[in-house]
Amino acid sequence: MDFEATAMTTLPSLVQTSMPEVGNVHVPTIMKYDETSKVLVMSDAGKRTLKEAYTDPATNVPKIGRQLGAWLAYLHVFTQEADIGEGGNPTARSIYRWSYSNLANVANQYGLNADFCEYVNNLYGLSLATDDACVCHGDFWPGNIMLDEEQNVTVIDWEMCRRGRGELDVAQFAAEAYLLDRFRGGKGLMDSFCKSYRRSSAKVWGDITTDRRWARRLGVHIGVHLAFWPASVEWADRDETKAVIELGHELMRRGDAEDLDWLSENVLGALFNRDK
């Protein structure tokens, strides 16, 4: 919890959230933190997560996606030198590898290439221990985005915050947004989020999508997420689940091969194709 408290205390002053495209996205305010008993009291963030509010007709999903994409881009841009504690939260790095370490088990359940999954784990899963480009939220998905009645947006659950690579945050949110769009109403969360991240990060970094290492890690990680988590979290029947897992495998292969042409014309088009 020390890392969570550090992140919630220090990051708001580092991330330039005054930019208009960020809107009303913020981090909870810590009211009290007892370091001995590990009790943290923070400000109210609302009653519903974005995942819960997604199907509500009153929820402006594209607007929230744009705000979150900009906010996350600035988190990554402005924390390249930020210190969040000793080792950059090694426990979070280890936990985050769970999906990589168990990817082959899911592949076996669905008759897919488990050897390739082991290759992905040994190469990309191993890299999680040493990634050190910026501060990552570490568990950035719609279930950790809270909305109040005015649709102010609060990013919660910072216990997995760590030093890492920003594209993994992007990939995790994009994967979960894809699942919501595919199975809960097609409201455009993924596209709005991805476009906003690309445009906002470009203001400082230039076009990140031409960086092949960035594209490779992004493609592989969204593939890992889609190839693993739908087998544990029910979204659809087995046939639909297998289709998503197969898509995850294709994304892993295309990402590993740095196939930017394929990535720009498929699921991640909003990130890689400037015409979208």
Side-chain angles (χ1 to χ4, degrees):
M1 188 166 283
D2 290 342
F3 286 100
E4 185 171 14
T6 298
M8 292 171 63
T9 302
T10 61
L11 295 182
S13 64
L14 297 176
V15 182
Q16 295 184 20
T17 56
S18 60
M19 299 178 183
E21 59 267 36
V22 174
N24 295 317
V25 181
H26 63 280
V27 175
T29 300
I30 293 181
M31 314 302 290
K32 180 179 180 180
Y33 177 50
D34 187 323
E35 295 185 27
T36 302
S37 58
K38 306 301 181 187
V39 174
L40 188 153
V41 180
M42 64 183 184
S43 57
D44 181 58
K47 295 181 179 180
R48 294 189 298 175
T49 68
L50 176 55
K51 182 176 181 179
E52 293 168 334
Y54 179 92
T55 56
D56 185 342
T59 303
N60 191 335
V61 171
K63 179 181 178 181
I64 293 169
R66 289 191 296 271
Q67 292 175 341
L68 287 169
W71 181 89
L72 188 65
Y74 296 140
L75 172 68
H76 297 155
V77 165
F78 294 117
T79 63
Q80 295 176 75
E81 304 299 327
D83 181 8
I84 60 167
E86 184 178 355
N89 200 349
T91 299
R93 294 173 188 261
S94 176
I95 293 172
Y96 205 71
R97 193 175 177 179
W98 175 260
S99 54
Y100 286 81
S101 299
N102 292 279
L103 196 59
N105 294 335
V106 175
N108 283 324
Q109 293 173 26
Y110 285 85
L112 300 173
N113 190 341
D115 289 340
F116 180 69
C117 294
E118 294 288 2
Y119 160 78
V120 168
N121 177 41
N122 291 333
L123 179 60
Y124 298 102
L126 184 63
S127 297
L128 296 173
T130 55
D131 287 339
D132 194 28
C134 63
V135 172
C136 297
H137 177 274
D139 196 14
F140 197 73
W141 71 293
N144 280 335
I145 308 300
M146 300 298 299
L147 304 179
D148 66 15
E149 293 182 358
E150 287 74 41
Q151 295 195 23
N152 294 309
V153 181
T154 304
V155 182
I156 64 167
D157 200 1
W158 286 85
E159 64 184 354
M160 291 286 287
C161 178
R162 68 187 195 283
R163 294 286 305 179
R165 293 189 61 85
E167 54 267 41
L168 304 187
D169 273 345
V170 178
Q172 181 174 351
F173 190 92
E176 288 290 325
Y178 170 80
L179 292 169
L180 281 170
D181 287 339
R182 177 166 177 163
F183 296 115
R184 299 294 185 268
K187 293 190 172 185
L189 179 59
M190 181 179 177
D191 276 9
S192 61
F193 167 78
C194 289
K195 287 178 183 178
S196 181
Y197 185 93
R198 184 189 72 207
R199 292 167 180 167
S200 297
S201 60
K203 294 179 180 180
V204 180
W205 282 337
D207 186 6
I208 54 175
T209 64
T210 61
D211 181 335
R212 289 188 173 274
R213 183 185 180 191
W214 190 92
R216 181 171 70 247
R217 291 296 298 275
L218 180 82
V220 168
H221 191 67
I222 190 173
V224 169
H225 197 95
L226 292 177
F228 177 76
W229 288 107
S232 301
V233 180
E234 184 176 355
W235 285 92
D237 62 25
R238 183 175 175 84
D239 288 342
E240 283 277 6
T241 298
K242 184 177 182 180
V244 171
I245 292 171
E246 288 175 337
L247 172 61
H249 277 248
E250 187 69 11
L251 281 159
M252 287 189 290
R253 286 192 292 269
R254 298 289 184 168
D256 180 59
E258 298 181 356
D259 190 345
L260 270 63
D261 289 337
W262 187 91
L263 291 170
S264 69
E265 296 300 326
N266 288 276
V267 175
L268 294 176
L271 267 173
F272 288 95
N273 189 340
R274 288 189 169 276
D275 297 329
K276 292 191 177 184

